């Protein structure tokens, strides 16, 4: 199959969260089966074009009735072929210092969607599957089936929902910019479900995709309910027959405790428990020295996360207090795009500036993330909702036991180590149900007990966690089955 992903992220060169890891992990696995997989991605400022091929010095594209051409580069990264779109207009849409978070994000990705389709048109490619990701590229679906339908040969469109909270709400005139007339589509195609004056790019994409994938089976259920549907649930219920849940995997090349490029004390699932413990201890020792932490304060409870409401902001703070009360060390790596939340955490840092049992660091830091996954004893994910979540799978791979709230993909991947009704080989972490301080505290107390009194159980859990397979093998098979199914379905 020839599969063309169109996405805003591709790890590690363009990663803001899980989306970038999914695109690279899935693409790389699909190429192993002989499929021709390519990715269309914005050319962000920091992506170097050294070694890239200039495919088109100036691909014609229109915006606001004026030429807004794009330069197209092709570049092989992580074993896959990327086509990078570099807009040449004055707005410098991707020549900025971050992937998202600008007031003109909708315009940036509307332009990107149009340029991606113009690029496909120019190459005259015959494509089996165009695979879109989230609202950023959802507009490609109506573009392909609307104004470009006769000019392009794209058999089927798949749209993966990584997080329904973000929908690409914009004003009607944002589509005017690329001369896309909503009146040439059935009524209400673009209409936002909460405000009829707004447009909603994701919703239009849902309507035109041949298949919709939610990133876990539980999330596929949750988004069809008013509690989890972000007002799109009536549409998703209507489209239920083309919605499926596929739990993501993680890329075992990017996440490998045996060969991690960010630290030297390597260990693998095949090592003895003694070797694993010695490696983790040596990593902790280095971090203790670097951050001035108390070597006696164990276990280490860590979190690496975007600080947004979804991730359970209040619960993270409760966890800090509870960890201190129990005598452990709390480590948090994360930053917030929301100023009020960032201020709250800045305040927290001030409060605990003299504590040698707390480490709070508010940057995006890939190297430190790897070190924390490897060095910690437990990894905390108290999300209010979580479409899939990758960090629990990464933690398992590094022999760090996840403590999670049972929601979305966390529920599908982590089973409590004491779940009596589940066979023991499926149990792999600590799970709490309610998003309350009490439930969280109870989970943390169990973690401390496990660490201090039930060392044999903990050792079994660590080894077992590292041996589990959360690679892309299984999800890639499920995606291939889905691609084949939609290709075989008459429209
Ligand atoms: P989401 O996509 O909602 O942010 P996921 O669990 O799917 O959550 O993926 C998050 C990814 O981003 C993980 O690989 C995690 O390690 C990484 N990450 C989050 N915050 C940071 C940070 N501050 N520094 C480095 N990596 C981070």
């Amino acid at each position: 199959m020839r599969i063309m992903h169109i996405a805003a992220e591709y790890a590690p060169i363009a990663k803001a969260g899980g989306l970038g890891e999914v695109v690279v992990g899935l693409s790389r696995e699909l190429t192993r089966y002989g499929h021709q997989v390519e990715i269309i991605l914005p050319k962000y400022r920091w992506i170097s074009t050294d070694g890239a091929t200039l495919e088109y010095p100036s691909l014609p594209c229109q915006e606001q009735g004026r030429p807004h051409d794009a330069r197209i580069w092709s570049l092989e990264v992580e074993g896959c072929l990327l086509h990078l779109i570099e807009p040449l207009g004055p707005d410098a849409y991707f020549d900025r210092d971050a992937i998202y978070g600008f007031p003109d994000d909708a315009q940036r990705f509307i332009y990107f969607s149009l340029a991606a389709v113009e690029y496909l048109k120019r190459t005259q490619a015959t494509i089996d599957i165009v695979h879109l990701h989230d609202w950023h590229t959802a507009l490609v679906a109506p573009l392909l089936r609307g104004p470009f339908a006769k000019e392009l040969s794209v058999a089927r469109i798949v749209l993966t929902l990584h997080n329904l909270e973000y929908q690409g709400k914009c004003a009607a005139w944002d589509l005017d910019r690329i001369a896309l007339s909503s009146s040439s589509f059935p009524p209400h195609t673009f209409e936002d479900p909460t405000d009829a004056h707004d447009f909603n790019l994701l919703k239009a994409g849902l309507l035109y995709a041949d298949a919709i994938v939610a990133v876990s089976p539980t999330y596929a259920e949750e988004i069809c309910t008013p509690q989890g549907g972000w007002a799109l649930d009536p549409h998703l219920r209507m489209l239920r027959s083309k919605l499926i849940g596929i739990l993501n995997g993680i890329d075992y090349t990017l996440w490998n405790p045996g060969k991690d490029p960010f630290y030297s004390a390597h260990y693998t699932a095949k090592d003895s428990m003694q070797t694993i413990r010695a490696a983790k201890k040596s990593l902790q020792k280095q971090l203790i020295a670097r951050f001035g932490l108390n070597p006696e304060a164990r276990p280490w409870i860590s979190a690496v996360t975007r600080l947004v409401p979804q991730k359970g902001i209040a619960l993270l703070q409760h966890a800090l207090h509870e960890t201190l009360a129990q005598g452990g060390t709390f480590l948090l790596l994360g930053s917030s795009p929301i100023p009020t939340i960032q201020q709250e955490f800045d305040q927290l840092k001030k409060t605990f500036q003299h504590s040698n049992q707390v480490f709070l660091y508010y940057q995006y830091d890939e190297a430190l993330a790897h070190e924390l996954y490897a060095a910690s004893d437990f990894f905390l994910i108290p999300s209010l909702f979580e479409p899939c979540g990758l960090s629990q799978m990464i933690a398992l791979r590094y022999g760090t036991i996840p403590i999670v709230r049972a929601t979305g993909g966390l529920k599908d991947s982590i089973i409590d180590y004491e779940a009596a009704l589940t066979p023991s080989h499926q149990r792999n972490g600590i799970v709490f149900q309610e998003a309350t301080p009490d439930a969280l505290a109870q989970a943390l107390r169990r973690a401390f007990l496990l660490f201090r009194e039930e060392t044999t159980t903990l050792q079994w859990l660590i080894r077992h966690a590292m041996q589990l397979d959360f690679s892309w093998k299984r999800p890639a098979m499920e995606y291939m089955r889905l691609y084949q199914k939609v290709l075989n379905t008459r429209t």
Side-chain angles (χ1 to χ4, degrees), residues 96-119:
R96 310 199 184 167
D97 54 12
I99 297 180
Y100 317 113
F102 303 99
D104 59 352
D105 276 357
Q107 291 149 31
R108 295 167 71 224
F109 287 102
I110 287 172
Y111 173 83
F112 174 63
S113 299
L114 175 69
V117 178
E118 290 285 4
Y119 166 72

Side-chain angles (χ1 to χ4, degrees), residues 387-453:
C388 176
L390 300 180
S391 21
Q392 76 279 17
M393 302 182 199
I394 302 170
L396 289 172
R397 175 97 162 122
Y398 283 72
T400 299
I401 304 308
I403 305 172
V404 309
R405 190 176 96 75
T407 177
L410 297 172
K411 193 169 167 184
D412 292 336
S413 54
I414 305 299
I415 309 287
D416 193 274
Y417 79 101
E418 288 184 314
L421 299 177
T422 314
S424 60
H425 68 273
Q426 288 176 13
R427 306 181 203 165
N428 54 9
I430 298 179
V431 181
F432 61 100
Q433 300 295 325
E434 303 299 326
T436 59
D438 279 353
L440 170 83
Q442 172 78 9
L444 283 170
R445 269 179 239 133
R446 289 172 63 218
F448 274 82
L449 201 69
L450 199 56
F451 186 83
R452 288 176 179 159
E453 290 174 22

Side-chain angles (χ1 to χ4, degrees), residues 62 77 114 128 201 264 274 294 365 443:
Q62 290 268 324
V77 180
L114 175 69
D128 297 298
L201 301 177
S264 55
Q274 222 175 355
N294 174 358
D365 189 327

